[in-house]
Amino acid sequence: MKKFGIRILLAAILVTLISVVNVPANSASALTLDKKHAAVVIDIDDGINYVVRKKFDGSGAIVKPKQENTYVLAKGLYSLCIKQEGYYQSKQAFFVSSADLKKEKVIQADPQLMAGRGNEPTGEFFRWNPEVEQNFYSDDVAAGEPIDTPSLDPAKAANEYVNSDERIAYLTDAVAKSDNLYMFFIDEKTPVIFFTSEDLNGAGSLEEAAEIFAASDKLKMYLQCEIHGNEPVGGEAGMYFVSRLAGQLGESIKPNMDMYITPCLNTSGHEAFARINEDGIDMNRDNMQVKSAKMRAVHGLFNIIMPEVAVDCHESHYEDIVSSAGKISHLDDVKVRGIENTNTAADIRKITAQLTEDAIADGNEAGLRTYYYNSSVNSTTSRGYYGLYNTCSMIIESIGLRSGKDHLARRVYSQYVVTKSLVENVADNAASIKEMVAADRAQVVEKGKVYSKSNKFVLKHGLGLTLKSYRPVVNIYGNVVSNGQVGKRSYSKVLKTRALPTAYVIPKNAKNAEAVATALRYNGVQVLELREGTAIKVAQTSGKRSAAKVGRAKNKVFADGAYAIPMDQVGAKLAAASLEPDVYDSNKENKTETLSYMMNIKDLFRYFDANPTESLSEWL
């Protein structure tokens, strides 16, 4: 009892020594605050479940209220996390600043009812605090464009996106406005739009339309949108781009180029708001194994058309970029990047780098924060895959993934501005790009005819060249901190290579041999079937996936026959990226998505005789 009494006395003395400030009498909290805390009142409807957490991104410890909906918080960053059945699960950032201390601060909650019809986020998504949203994400920047895509319909739920019927109706309306637009389907929900001066009205199928489309002598460009279903702005911008092709934009580029567009490739993922498709496949890592029927169809079109330019449209998120002091290292609207893999011809890489710089400049001029997308040399992605065919391959990533439909018009506009820049630039240089791509593809075929130690495939790249562009740094209080040039490194260093054979050979009795051959064919690679008893000189592969070895060439009889992949073909680099067991650039990100992982290393053989397509024909 004596010790307890002493503690009470000390506590009373301590209280008298601390300067205290009472929240004004009209406050709902009526709390006594010291100079290091604020009373934060959450203004929210009754019956809505939520918690306050100690980090801005919805992580961190839960803070307990001092009174109902009232918290005593120190200076710092927090989040208001709503999780209520029938409502969207959101986590909204807010802060307590020095100016808020000793006062009451009201945080206005915005619980939003779900539609329950699909095409909307079902997991948590992030929302910026009003200071960032109002100062840096105004939709006014898009005022010059009548963005009218279905997801912006005010009748929809707060975060509900376009459904398949609405998408097709919107595209049907756009196609009806132009004699140069045609719509065909991969399946009943997945449209393919062709923009061309060729007459496709008589085409009885998608494949027939593609063949007529491919026959024209104009440059061909592919715009691939929403391969990840939880990145809907790529698809929304793709739809809007098609509508603009029906007007002056289409008229201006028509003389020089044709285009085909998949406005929403992952329709099942879109409906479920999931990155993967209905079979659980990440389609943007399925370019080599082509487990997905949709990707087999996409590659079938690519093989018919062989576009000189391909652009893959995505959406990224921005949740991990705020320091504890509230500094936001970047708040990009949109990012863009060309192909970096040095297995793609140098002049292709150079033109995509220039297209990137011009797109960044055009985006910034339009009032957007535009920057370089992340470096990558992973060949299982669409950007990497198309580049192996010496296609001018690009990627666009607007920023807004996991943010519901906040500032949606701005996000659509940002994708459209960069896409338009790329398209107009390509149209202006169509003849030279077409000639360059044709020459580079022909060189791959020519080099594949004769074995040379100098004809190498790069297995591993390293970061080297640093690109620089203006990138504003802001803070969570809504202020610009700086606006200088910020560097972004590129995979320009070559760290590991291997000389290419004139053909790869896989025994027919090897593990998954037929499946590997089938996948290569879906990807446009020529595969020869060698008969039983084929006797040729080959070198066997051994070692580990981290470091494969090539043995000495020896005579070998393939008793059950074999599959041969000659390298005097346009798809030679793709074949190498698919089959070499130690392509570090792909393996480090996606360890099982190349065709090599379907095989045993020892079942990959290498052939070195000249003119492989011809010299192997005697064994067909």
Side-chain angles (χ1 to χ4, degrees):
M1 290 295 293
K2 187 175 287 188
K3 288 183 179 179
F4 184 69
I6 291 172
R7 286 174 183 168
I8 293 174
L9 178 63
L10 288 173
I13 293 170
L14 185 62
V15 167
T16 63
L17 293 176
I18 296 176
S19 173
V20 298
V21 176
N22 288 311
V23 177
N26 61 354
S27 167
S29 54
L31 291 172
T32 299
L33 302 173
D34 64 33
K35 61 183 179 180
K36 293 185 178 181
H37 293 84
V40 175
V41 179
I42 306 299
D43 187 357
I44 192 167
D45 296 339
D46 291 339
I48 302 295
N49 290 320
Y50 75 94
V51 295
V52 169
R53 290 186 177 273
K54 285 189 174 181
K55 291 189 177 180
F56 85 101
D57 62 354
S59 63
I62 294 175
V63 182
K64 293 182 178 180
K66 292 295 184 181
Q67 297 179 2
E68 185 179 8
N69 297 332
T70 304
Y71 298 77
V72 174
L73 301 179
K75 179 182 175 180
L77 308 181
Y78 301 89
S79 54
L80 168 62
C81 305
I82 294 174
K83 191 171 185 179
Q84 174 67 41
E85 185 176 355
Y87 286 77
Y88 296 108
Q89 298 179 48
S90 63
K91 42 190 183 181
Q92 179 174 333
F94 71 91
F95 62 82
V96 173
S97 69
S98 298
D100 298 321
L101 300 179
K102 304 184 293 186
K103 300 177 184 177
E104 176 181 294
K105 179 170 185 171
V106 177
I107 302 298
Q108 185 67 53
D110 183 25
Q112 299 169 321
L113 279 166
M114 296 182 70
R117 297 184 287 262
N119 311 295
E120 62 185 349
T122 55
E124 281 189 321
F125 62 86
F126 176 75
R127 307 189 73 184
W128 284 112
N129 50 300
E131 293 84 356
V132 169
E133 189 69 35
Q134 292 165 12
N135 288 356
F136 299 119
Y137 284 111
S138 169
D139 284 333
D140 292 346
V141 72
E145 285 289 337
I147 296 175
D148 59 353
T149 50
S151 295
L152 289 163
D153 184 347
K156 284 189 168 294
N159 298 290
E160 181 185 16
Y161 285 88
V162 59
N163 63 41
S164 288
D165 290 342
E166 292 165 339
R167 180 184 300 110
I168 292 169
Y170 183 91
L171 294 169
T172 299
D173 182 64
V175 168
K177 295 176 181 177
S178 172
D179 292 336
N180 303 117
L181 287 169
Y182 301 85
M183 182 160 58
F184 291 81
F185 289 86
I186 292 175
D187 57 36
E188 63 180 4
K189 292 184 177 181
T190 312
V192 179
I193 305 295
F194 291 96
F195 174 78
T196 180
S197 298
E198 300 297 307
D199 185 359
L200 304 186
N201 285 311
S205 66
L206 173 60
E207 291 72 19
E208 187 178 346
E211 288 169 358
I212 297 170
F213 176 83
S216 84
D217 59 0
K218 293 180 184 176
L219 176 141
K220 305 294 187 297
M221 182 171 180
Y222 174 39
L223 186 64
Q224 176 176 286
C225 306
E226 204 176 341
I227 196 170
H228 291 143
N230 63 340
E231 301 175 14
V233 167
E236 206 79 14
M239 285 190 294
Y240 183 68
F241 183 81
V242 170
S243 75
R244 306 311 283 164
L245 284 177
Q248 181 56 42
L249 175 61
E251 290 298 313
S252 67
I253 69 171
K254 180 173 65 174
N256 298 326
M257 63 184 290
D258 293 335
M259 292 189 70
Y260 73 106
I261 301 128
T262 48
C264 179
L265 200 52
N266 189 356
T267 50
S268 63
H270 178 95
E271 291 170 4
F273 215 80
R275 179 182 175 93
I276 56 179
N277 71 357
E278 70 275 19
D279 297 318
I281 298 169
D282 183 339
M283 292 161 59
N284 199 39
R285 301 298 184 274
D286 190 36
N287 282 286
M288 290 186 178
Q289 293 187 4
V290 283
K291 301 180 291 289
S292 161
K294 191 78 66 73
M295 292 310 293
R296 293 196 291 270
V298 168
H299 288 188
L301 287 177
F302 184 91
N303 299 338
I304 294 170
I305 297 167
M306 291 299 289
E308 286 84 8
V309 182
V311 180
D312 190 23
C313 299
H314 289 260
E315 193 167 17
S316 297
H317 64 91
Y318 41 36
E319 294 179 34
D320 54 353
I321 57 174
V322 183
S323 72
S324 58
K327 184 178 177 181
I328 304 175
S329 59
H330 58 87
L331 209 60
D332 308 315
D333 285 301
V334 61
K335 301 179 183 181
V336 59
R337 197 70 174 261
I339 187 72
E340 299 170 82
N341 194 316
T342 60
N343 291 303
T344 301
D347 50 2
I348 300 286
R349 288 182 278 123
K350 184 177 179 180
I351 192 65
T352 63
Q354 187 57 57
L355 289 169
T356 297
E357 296 294 340
D358 292 345
I360 288 174
D362 289 342
N364 289 339
E365 187 176 344
L368 300 165
R369 296 178 295 274
T370 315
Y371 195 63
Y372 306 104
Y373 183 57
N374 300 338
S375 298
S376 174
V377 280
N378 180 358
S379 295
T380 68
T381 67
S382 294
R383 175 174 51 148
Y385 174 93
Y386 296 136
L388 292 171
Y389 269 110
N390 277 326
T391 296
C392 297
S393 187
M394 310 281 297
I395 188 169
I396 300 173
E397 294 251 3
S398 57
I399 312 302
L401 174 65
R402 304 178 195 160
S403 60
K405 279 169 50 177
D406 288 348
H407 51 270
L408 178 60
R410 184 185 180 105
R411 286 153 60 192
V412 174
Y413 178 68
S414 69
Q415 282 250 358
Y416 171 72
V417 167
V418 172
T419 303
K420 181 173 179 282
S421 172
L422 296 178
V423 169
E424 290 181 331
N425 214 340
V426 167
D428 289 343
N429 298 278
S432 60
I433 293 174
K434 183 176 174 63
E435 182 180 354
M436 177 185 66
V437 170
D440 288 333
R441 288 172 175 172
Q443 188 177 56
V444 171
V445 176
E446 196 62 28
K447 284 186 174 182
K449 290 180 179 180
V450 180
Y451 173 73
S452 170
K453 290 182 179 180
S454 65
N455 186 23
K456 296 179 178 181
F457 186 83
V458 180
L459 302 167
K460 183 177 181 180
H461 290 78
L463 289 168
L465 178 70
T466 298
L467 308 174
K468 287 189 176 182
S469 184
Y470 286 96
R471 194 183 203 191
V473 176
V474 303
N475 62 31
I476 204 162
Y477 313 115
N479 305 313
V480 176
V481 176
S482 64
N483 191 23
Q485 285 198 328
V486 179
K488 188 76 170 180
R489 300 188 73 186
S490 178
Y491 280 105
S492 57
K493 288 184 178 180
V494 173
L495 301 181
K496 183 179 180 181
T497 63
R498 180 171 294 125
L500 291 169
T502 57
Y504 292 104
V505 181
I506 303 168
K508 278 195 171 182
N509 60 6
K511 175 186 175 183
N512 291 324
E514 184 177 1
V516 168
T518 299
L520 286 167
R521 286 169 173 151
Y522 276 128
N523 291 337
V525 175
Q526 180 190 21
V527 180
L528 306 177
E529 289 198 45
L530 308 184
R531 67 177 183 265
E532 295 178 0
T534 291
I536 53 178
K537 193 173 184 178
V538 291
Q540 189 172 19
T541 308
S542 62
K544 301 178 181 179
R545 296 203 179 277
S546 58
K549 300 177 182 179
V550 179
R552 296 179 62 182
K554 300 177 182 179
N555 293 321
K556 179 174 175 61
V557 176
F558 293 90
D560 296 322
Y563 296 106
I565 301 92
M567 299 297 276
D568 53 348
Q569 60 172 310
V570 175
K573 296 291 182 72
L574 175 59
S578 301
L579 297 173
E580 290 288 353
D582 50 349
V583 182
Y584 174 85
D585 295 331
S586 297
N587 295 350
K588 68 175 180 177
E589 295 183 33
N590 302 95
K591 294 185 177 180
T592 61
E593 302 300 343
T594 64
L595 295 180
S596 169
Y597 276 86
M598 298 171 63
M599 305 166 51
N600 293 321
I601 293 176
K602 65 181 179 62
D603 290 329
L604 183 65
F605 292 83
R606 299 157 195 273
Y607 178 81
F608 300 100
D609 287 4
N611 301 308
T613 300
E614 181 181 345
S615 61
L616 288 169
S617 63
E618 67 173 291
W619 298 103
L620 298 178

